[in-house]
Amino acid sequence: MNAVNNASVLSILSGIQPPDKGSVRRVGLACWPFGSKDFLDNASTFRQNASFLGRIYGVDATDIAKIAIDLSGIKLRKGLALRRYPVAERRQLALGLTLALQFDWYFINEQLPRVPAARVATIDGVIADRISRGGVVWATTDPEKVAGYCDAGLVLDHGGLTFYDTITEASEVYRSLVETRAGKRT
């Protein structure tokens, strides 16, 4: 991997992409990064995707589908392949399917996925519930965003990822790096 960025780190930590060298040891069930649609088969229907996820994760497909539909607010069209839905609706259905399952680890790049205003409170509540019962790796350039969600922190600098025991320490190191780089540019 030539360019290391937040998206690359999340893909490696979640198991979507293998590291160039070394290994990642995951304990528990890792979710794909929030906002990802790559876990879906767009040639299949929504219910076929829910059925597949149910088999993989050992959860009733009907329950997955019901939860995902309720969360997304999308009215399904019987027999319609996912690729035939508008992009925004596919994103909402993908988020609904993601939140219909409980994982041990969630991965968020910068911000939570956009959802329609009418669904924000519901989705935020479910995300908070899921994260409260699992862990979260939240990649952001704004440490204030993760306040209340994260206890420890990782700082990515020149391809190296360093672990810090507290989010405060990670934030201070990150701010120092940003200030140093800003000073070199002027």
Side-chain angles (χ1 to χ4, degrees):
M1 165 180 13
N2 294 333
V4 178
N5 57 35
N6 288 347
S8 298
V9 169
L10 292 180
S11 289
I12 291 168
L13 292 177
S14 67
I16 289 177
Q17 178 180 332
D20 288 344
K21 61 182 178 178
S23 62
V24 174
R25 186 170 37 120
R26 279 177 288 291
V27 177
L29 187 59
C31 183
W32 43 85
F34 268 75
S36 174
K37 300 181 300 309
D38 295 340
F39 69 97
L40 296 173
D41 177 9
N42 284 317
S44 297
T45 67
F46 171 81
R47 293 206 186 275
Q48 288 169 329
N49 276 276
S51 179
F52 176 74
L53 291 172
R55 283 191 309 274
I56 296 291
Y57 293 105
V59 180
D60 183 81
T62 304
D63 291 343
I64 293 172
K66 182 179 178 348
I67 292 167
I69 291 166
D70 288 348
L71 290 174
S72 70
I74 302 298
K75 184 174 182 335
L76 292 185
R77 295 176 242 2
K78 188 174 177 146
L80 189 65
L82 280 179
R83 71 170 165 255
R84 305 292 234 173
Y85 285 84
V87 173
E89 288 185 4
R90 268 184 286 174
R91 280 191 193 116
Q92 289 171 246
L93 288 168
L95 180 60
L97 285 168
T98 300
L99 294 174
L101 300 165
Q102 177 66 52
F103 294 94
D104 297 312
W105 288 99
Y106 292 91
F107 300 89
I108 303 170
N109 193 2
E110 278 302 325
Q111 57 192 8
L112 293 169
R114 280 185 258 157
V115 296
R119 313 256 9 116
V120 169
T122 302
I123 297 291
D124 283 353
V126 173
I127 289 171
D129 174 68
R130 295 294 189 254
I131 291 173
S132 75
R133 293 189 277 145
V136 64
V137 176
W138 195 321
T140 182
T141 56
D142 180 6
E144 302 302 318
K145 274 187 185 172
V146 299
Y149 288 102
C150 300
D151 300 320
L154 298 165
V155 175
L156 178 63
D157 182 35
H158 292 96
L161 199 58
T162 306
F163 176 81
Y164 295 92
D165 289 323
T166 68
I167 195 66
T168 302
E169 184 181 12
S171 296
E172 289 169 1
V173 169
Y174 175 76
R175 281 191 187 99
S176 175
L177 288 169
V178 169
E179 289 170 5
T180 300
R181 287 195 184 116
K184 289 181 180 178
R185 288 186 202 139
T186 57

